[in-house]
Amino acid sequence: MRKRIVAGNWKMYKTVPEATELAAAIAAAAPKDGAGEIVVCPPFTNLTAVAEAIKGSVVRLGAQNMHWEEKGAFTGEIAADMLKSAGCQYVILGHSERRQYFGETDAMVNKKIKRALTAGLNPIVCVGETLDQRKAGITESVVGDQVRGCFADIGAEQAKTLVIAYEPVWAIGTGVTATSEQAQEVHHFIRALLAELYSESVAQTVRIQYGGSMKPDNAAQLLAQPDIDGGLIGGASLDAKSFLQIVTA
Ligand code: 13P
């Protein structure tokens, strides 16, 4: 049985005081039954304050990006060890906004995954097709290439620890959610691909989140699908009440 995982991607929102308040509100009200994992991923500047605000709660900390090198002269970049020492357990890698606006490729994401694993961070690896790609009927080949590229040379035991977030680009921040059937179809495809690339055991272990306009009113239906193991939430994670409603769903 895969443990559910709901993560909030705060993107480029929240100052330090705002982030502290939001994190404290989530930590105070988060269900303590341990049935699923709850992760918040604030901007880098808020990691330390949020780590403090969620201390002693069930909520875990994640970052939104990192560099693949261990350290060095890379102005403006953040290393895996820095995230780890700030209290992060998770790191989102290859988000479509990173791919779209900052030129991230599967090869770069693959290097980041390897570095994150070396540093003891759990990557949340994002994949997903654009609207044009979906209309052209190439969703599976696009997502398949992303999974193959991101997972290149990652061994089976390490692959098992990865979380994949399927985020159709056309559903991100648009208010248009994939139907639960559309999402399940791609999640099932990804799981079948993992079985082909690795084994049935890896496929059944890897958790696959859905992301893209997941809200309190559509979360339960999406999360009821057999291959949807959680959510990666953008807009609705910026409000403690709506984020926790999704966690409860
Ligand atoms: P929204 O929930 O705002 O659509 O964002 C989804 C997302 O990109 C999470 O990483």
Side-chain angles (χ1 to χ4, degrees):
M1 187 62 185
R2 295 180 292 272
K3 195 165 187 174
R4 303 243 176 190
I5 175 165
V6 175
N9 173 8
W10 295 3
K11 306 193 179 186
M12 198 172 76
Y13 293 100
K14 305 290 177 189
T15 60
V16 174
E18 289 166 353
T20 307
E21 188 185 332
L22 175 58
I26 292 170
K32 292 174 185 60
D33 59 10
E37 283 181 81
I38 306 166
V39 186
V40 291
C41 304
F44 293 133
T45 48
N46 300 340
L47 288 173
T48 314
V50 170
E52 192 57 33
I54 61 175
K55 207 178 225 168
S57 81
V58 294
V59 180
R60 298 170 185 206
L61 189 63
Q64 299 174 17
N65 181 32
M66 49 162 260
H67 198 267
W68 59 79
E69 289 293 343
E70 187 183 0
K71 59 173 82 157
F74 299 100
T75 302
E77 291 293 332
I78 303 277
D81 284 344
M82 299 172 186
L83 300 180
K84 184 80 183 166
S85 71
C88 290
Q89 293 184 43
Y90 286 93
V91 59
I92 299 170
L93 296 176
H95 191 279
S96 65
E97 287 149 18
R98 302 286 327 159
R99 294 172 185 264
Q100 189 179 346
Y101 304 126
F102 304 99
E104 280 196 21
T105 63
D106 293 325
M108 287 157 75
V109 178
N110 177 250
K111 289 198 278 186
K112 292 182 180 202
I113 293 172
K114 289 172 182 164
R115 176 64 61 195
L117 291 169
T118 304
L121 289 168
N122 300 305
I124 296 176
V125 183
C126 302
V127 297
E129 82 287 1
T130 64
L131 187 57
D132 284 349
Q133 290 166 334
R134 174 161 283 265
K135 281 185 179 157
I138 56 170
T139 296
E140 291 192 356
S141 78
V142 168
V143 172
D145 284 349
Q146 290 172 335
V147 172
R148 281 193 186 83
C150 291
F151 278 65
D153 308 316
I154 309 277
E157 284 315 304
Q158 293 203 306
K160 279 184 182 174
T161 69
L162 301 185
V163 175
I164 296 176
Y166 167 58
E167 299 204 304
V169 178
W170 48 272
I172 295 177
T174 57
V176 181
T177 321
T179 63
S180 44
E181 291 76 22
Q182 284 173 323
Q184 166 59 25
E185 203 178 359
V186 181
H187 281 237
H188 178 76
F189 165 76
I190 294 171
R191 209 175 292 291
L193 178 60
L194 291 172
E196 188 189 310
L197 295 174
Y198 294 98
S199 66
E200 193 55 32
S201 138
V202 171
Q204 291 306 326
T205 307
V206 170
R207 293 177 294 174
I208 310 176
Q209 298 174 309
Y210 169 80
S213 298
M214 197 189 254
K215 309 279 180 211
D217 61 358
N218 60 29
Q221 207 186 358
L222 286 158
L223 293 167
Q225 302 302 312
D227 289 302
I228 301 185
D229 306 313
L232 184 55
I233 324 297
S237 75
L238 296 172
D239 173 74
K241 191 163 159 245
S242 64
F243 182 62
L244 289 164
Q245 280 171 345
I246 295 173
V247 168
T248 308

